[in-house]
Amino acid sequence: MTLDSKIPEGKLEDKWSNYQLNSQLINPANKKKLNIIVVGSGLAGAGAVSTLAELGYDVQCFCYQDSARRAHSVAAQGGINAAKNYQHDGDSVYRMFYDTLKGGDFRSREANTYRLAQLSAPLIDHFVQQGVPFAREYGGTLVNRSFGGVQVQRTFYARGQTGQQLLLAAYSQLYKMVRAKKVKMYPRHEMLDLVVIEGKAKGIITRDLVTGALKRFAADAVVLATGGYSRVFRLSTLAIGCNGSAIWKAHKKGAFFAAPSFTQIHPTALPQTSEAQSKLTLMSESLRNDGRIWVPKQKGDPRKANDIPEEDRDYYLERRYPSFGNLAPRDIASRAAKERIDAGYGCGKLNNAVYLDFKTAIDKLGLETIKDRYGNLFSMYQKITGIDAYKEPMQISPAAHFAMGGLWVDYELMTSIPGLYAIGECNFSDHGANRLGANSLLQASIDGYFILPNTINNYLASEMKVDRPDTSHPEFEKSELETAQHIDKLLAINGSKTVDHFHRLLGKVMWQECAMSRNRSGLEKAIVQIKAIRDQFWSDVKITGGKDELNTELEKALRLADFIELGALMCMDALEREESCGAHFREEFQTEDGEAVRKDQNFSYVSAWEFEKGNFKLHKEELFFEFVKPSIRSYK
């Protein structure tokens, strides 16, 4: 199959307007006859649902949470980027485009990345009109701060709860459409399969998480907005319920999975303190604006942080990357922390953390200024650790975070299955090999509010001519039967080990061999280990309870079965890509001083994997850089 990215002709800045000028339109009266399923109710999903419903489409929205307000977008803290240039510090749409492309190590499409930057400014206006309480200067103008990988201030924020405020705005628009009876909401429903009829996505199979009932839903198009899959590492900054099952089911039905090994390790999370932990807590990257990161110069230094004088502290980011310092991009900051920790300079209970220190900022700016900027983050830190970070440094550590990989999509955000779209974090689209901080909320919102509503018409216009299959179609019956058999098979194992036991095994393998740094022997070993975990899981997992009831153990088992398969693909993808690129650092490909070596001549493509009867076939979408020449990614 040839991967057609459908990039429009013309100048870079004209591609999106050219696309809109040439796209098909649907009469408002006909939109009412068309049904769209949206799976997910976070920023991408809620934005898409509310906008599509307002346009006149009949929309069904599904989420596994008990309320759309509990979607994981709520957890984002630091901010959302936009090229407004309010500070007059030289920012522009082009500079934001270049920062994002460079930050992703030139492994994303120029056209998609430029569109992200181009639509950022109107998105801020859109959210202001919805009432989002962005931080403002005393005179009332919106204020910005910086994030890693850039040298300008373009990040809009609402203290340390930007995701929550944006999601509340999206939620209000979503339920406005629910109340208007233009949207049918299905909370506590998890998608367990995609229904494909004559090569097109025509519906889904869900499980009612309260009653256990399997249900069929038909539509003219299906949109997945189900977030990232970094819970494959088990310990991550994601909520425990986050999973990759919806996109994995779509992958097994024919949707290509792109760049699965490109996952981001966030540099500022709270360190693991025990084996019993099930997740890690994110501390916003915005803290790196004013906090300074350091480790003791002496290995295993037994002194408390405040007792270590300046001359005995190694501010290693400032030392190694003077141009960006503590605002080096996430992948570089995370790898640098890992290098110091592995070399024996770590701090904390398990010697697995570094210090994030605000003493200099408090002395310079004053305590009240720091409280105003980050107060709720400091409160959260004290509630979790018992430490007052105004008086002594925070302890932070790298943690699995965002998934740059996801379903392959074209410029229209359609997957390789006609009629199936993927928006937000569950597609691979805009970030390449490393996402710049504060671009996550941006991509999710733009995909849902601005892009999908302008691209889905091109497909649906042709679907007006064909009858929509109903749920009695044999393919619906077949998908539901296969789903029921899959559940029965899991429950019938009745082994001796919990789901969490196997997830812990998988997470350790993935973190050790397929996270910040990787090598051939480790990846080959990981693939063998994951196959062994899969065999043990399917022969010895014990799932308590039944299928016709609320059963969280069954939910976890269904998701873990998919994570195990996805983990194997991630390791295969990492093994195939013999270069160091963005968040993907192959130890065999580095400079003498430990910096990444990219291999453009061999790997300037998006790896798109096809599922073939239990195996994976690689397809390559070559990347062509017409407007930017890829350069060595240096932040020194």
Side-chain angles (χ1 to χ4, degrees):
M1 176 181 175
T2 302
L3 294 172
D4 180 7
S5 57
K6 300 180 186 174
I7 297 173
E9 298 293 328
K11 298 178 181 177
L12 187 61
E13 61 270 24
D14 295 335
K15 288 184 183 293
W16 179 234
S17 55
N18 287 345
Y19 174 86
Q20 290 175 290
L21 284 171
N22 294 303
S23 63
Q24 298 190 59
L25 299 178
I26 300 175
N27 184 292
N30 286 333
K31 287 178 181 174
K32 298 175 183 177
K33 302 174 186 177
L34 293 164
N35 181 271
I36 302 170
I37 283 174
V38 178
V39 184
S41 62
L43 270 178
V49 169
S50 57
T51 308
L52 291 169
E54 199 157 19
L55 288 171
Y57 292 109
D58 177 34
V59 186
Q60 301 172 83
C61 181
F62 299 81
C63 67
Y64 67 76
Q65 298 93 344
D66 55 357
S67 167
R69 284 180 61 177
R70 294 176 65 86
H72 192 57
S73 301
V74 77
Q77 298 168 341
I80 178 170
N81 287 333
K84 285 281 197 180
N85 196 28
Y86 280 173
Q87 268 62 44
H88 301 288
D89 54 2
D91 201 10
S92 65
V93 168
Y94 188 87
R95 187 178 293 276
M96 181 174 171
F97 151 71
Y98 182 77
D99 285 344
T100 302
L101 198 70
K102 176 187 174 185
D105 230 345
F106 303 96
R107 290 295 176 263
S108 55
R109 297 188 196 117
E110 283 183 325
N112 287 62
T113 307
Y114 189 87
R115 180 174 62 181
L116 181 77
Q118 189 176 23
L119 295 176
S120 64
L123 182 70
I124 298 301
D125 298 334
H126 179 77
F127 276 130
V128 169
Q129 290 168 339
Q130 289 185 359
V132 173
F134 287 118
R136 294 177 181 268
E137 297 283 7
Y138 180 77
T141 55
L142 298 181
V143 65
N144 296 131
R145 58 190 178 199
S146 294
F147 259 62
V150 302
Q151 292 180 307
V152 297
Q153 296 182 70
R154 68 164 67 105
T155 305
F156 295 77
Y157 64 95
R159 282 193 130 182
Q161 50 181 249
T162 314
Q164 178 178 343
Q165 297 301 328
L166 297 187
L167 186 65
L168 286 172
Y171 173 82
S172 68
Q173 297 302 307
L174 166 60
Y175 269 82
K176 175 183 172 183
M177 293 296 105
V178 172
R179 294 290 165 82
K181 301 191 184 306
K182 295 182 179 181
V183 173
K184 177 65 175 174
M185 193 74 205
Y186 293 92
R188 305 296 285 151
H189 280 67
E190 182 158 25
M191 173 184 159
L192 294 186
D193 203 8
L194 176 73
V195 179
V196 179
I197 298 175
E198 295 179 358
K200 298 178 180 179
K202 289 296 178 183
I204 62 173
I205 304 297
T206 70
R207 180 173 180 266
D208 185 322
L209 297 182
V210 177
T211 67
L214 298 180
K215 300 178 183 179
R216 310 174 186 180
F217 296 92
D220 296 291
V222 176
V223 179
L224 301 183
T226 52
Y229 52 83
S230 288
R231 276 280 293 169
V232 70
F233 295 97
R234 187 172 182 270
L235 286 176
S236 78
T237 63
L238 275 62
I240 290 175
C242 291
N243 63 87
S245 287
I247 56 174
W248 192 250
K249 298 303 185 188
H251 173 57
K252 294 178 80 169
K253 283 294 181 77
F256 288 6
F257 207 116
S261 67
F262 284 168
T263 53
Q264 184 172 76
I265 309 302
H266 199 290
T268 54
L270 299 191
Q272 181 183 1
T273 56
S274 79
E275 280 288 312
Q277 272 182 260
S278 55
K279 77 176 299 293
L280 299 172
T281 302
L282 175 70
M283 298 302 293
S284 171
E285 182 186 352
S286 62
L287 294 168
R288 294 201 283 150
N289 271 282
D290 292 305
R292 300 179 70 194
I293 295 172
W294 62 276
V295 292
K297 289 182 178 179
Q298 174 187 328
K299 289 185 179 181
D301 196 321
R303 291 175 290 180
K304 292 182 178 179
N306 285 343
D307 295 336
I308 301 175
E310 282 291 316
E311 60 269 21
D312 291 342
R313 299 180 178 191
D314 177 15
Y315 294 93
Y316 58 88
L317 287 177
E318 298 172 29
R319 170 172 57 82
R320 292 179 61 179
Y321 307 101
S323 293
F324 285 76
N326 295 295
L327 286 174
R330 289 178 173 181
D331 60 323
I332 288 173
S334 293
R335 266 202 312 277
K338 181 179 186 294
E339 185 274 327
R340 292 288 81 193
I341 291 167
D342 290 349
Y345 296 95
C347 63
K349 182 180 176 181
L350 301 179
N351 299 316
N352 61 345
V354 299
Y355 290 121
L356 178 61
D357 197 332
F358 284 84
K359 184 180 185 302
T360 302
I362 291 171
D363 290 346
K364 180 180 179 181
L365 302 172
L367 181 62
E368 291 306 313
T369 298
I370 299 302
K371 283 185 176 180
D372 183 59
R373 291 179 180 178
Y374 313 110
N376 63 312
L377 294 171
F378 277 69
S379 297
M380 181 174 73
Y381 185 83
Q382 185 165 20
K383 187 178 291 186
I384 294 170
T385 67
I387 296 172
D388 183 350
Y390 295 115
K391 297 179 179 178
E392 60 180 284
M394 291 181 179
Q395 294 177 12
I396 59 167
S397 180
H401 184 53
F402 186 90
M404 282 83 70
L407 293 185
W408 181 90
V409 291
D410 58 23
Y411 190 75
E412 298 181 315
L413 305 184
M414 187 191 285
T415 70
S416 52
I417 299 176
L420 177 67
Y421 293 79
I423 61 176
E425 190 179 349
C426 73
N427 72 32
F428 88 99
S429 157
D430 297 345
H431 308 297
N434 176 58
R435 177 179 67 80
L436 290 186
N439 269 355
S440 174
L441 295 176
L442 175 67
Q443 186 218 345
S445 301
I446 282 177
D447 281 4
Y449 282 116
F450 292 171
I451 300 176
L452 181 76
N454 282 288
T455 62
I456 200 169
N457 306 331
N458 267 349
Y459 173 75
L460 290 176
S462 63
E463 291 305 288
M464 291 289 301
K465 303 168 187 175
V466 298
D467 293 332
R468 181 196 316 149
D470 61 33
T471 55
S472 63
H473 191 283
E475 285 299 326
F476 276 94
E477 187 174 345
K478 177 184 176 185
S479 289
E480 183 181 335
L481 178 61
E482 289 174 349
T483 302
Q485 291 173 340
H486 184 62
I487 291 172
D488 289 340
K489 184 179 178 182
L490 275 170
L491 289 169
I493 297 169
N494 197 29
S496 62
K497 301 288 194 305
T498 66
V499 177
D500 286 336
H501 167 80
F502 291 106
H503 202 167
R504 197 173 289 115
L505 293 178
L506 176 67
K508 286 181 177 179
V509 172
M510 295 301 296
W511 181 254
Q512 183 66 35
E513 309 297 353
C514 198
M516 271 182 286
S517 59
R518 312 151 186 195
N519 57 64
R520 171 170 287 277
S521 62
L523 289 166
E524 289 174 343
K525 180 175 71 174
I527 291 170
V528 173
Q529 290 175 321
I530 291 170
K531 288 179 179 177
I533 292 169
R534 182 192 61 194
D535 293 342
Q536 294 166 27
F537 172 81
W538 281 103
S539 63
D540 199 26
V541 72
K542 184 174 182 64
I543 304 168
T544 54
K547 62 181 179 180
D548 299 321
E549 60 184 353
L550 177 65
N551 189 340
T552 56
E553 285 301 302
L554 176 58
E555 292 172 37
K556 289 193 295 185
L558 288 165
R559 295 165 186 169
L560 181 57
D562 297 327
F563 274 144
I564 292 171
E565 295 179 348
L566 171 57
L569 177 59
M570 289 171 66
C571 292
M572 285 181 63
D573 184 62
L575 185 61
E576 187 274 338
R577 190 169 283 275
E578 295 184 329
E579 65 168 351
S580 289
C581 187
H584 175 110
F585 190 78
R586 279 287 291 269
E587 294 169 3
E588 302 97 320
F589 305 98
Q590 58 181 301
T591 63
E592 289 184 1
D593 56 351
E595 299 299 330
V597 174
R598 204 177 64 232
K599 300 273 188 179
D600 287 342
Q601 66 274 24
N602 298 324
F603 294 97
S604 187
Y605 60 78
V606 176
S607 56
W609 296 87
E610 180 182 6
F611 187 83
E612 274 196 340
K613 298 178 181 177
N615 297 311
F616 304 101
K617 179 180 178 182
L618 176 62
H619 299 263
K620 300 177 182 179
E621 181 199 341
E622 300 293 337
L623 292 170
F624 301 99
F625 295 95
E626 184 180 356
F627 303 94
V628 171
K629 183 178 179 180
S631 59
I632 295 174
R633 185 169 167 251
S634 173
Y635 292 90
K636 294 196 171 185

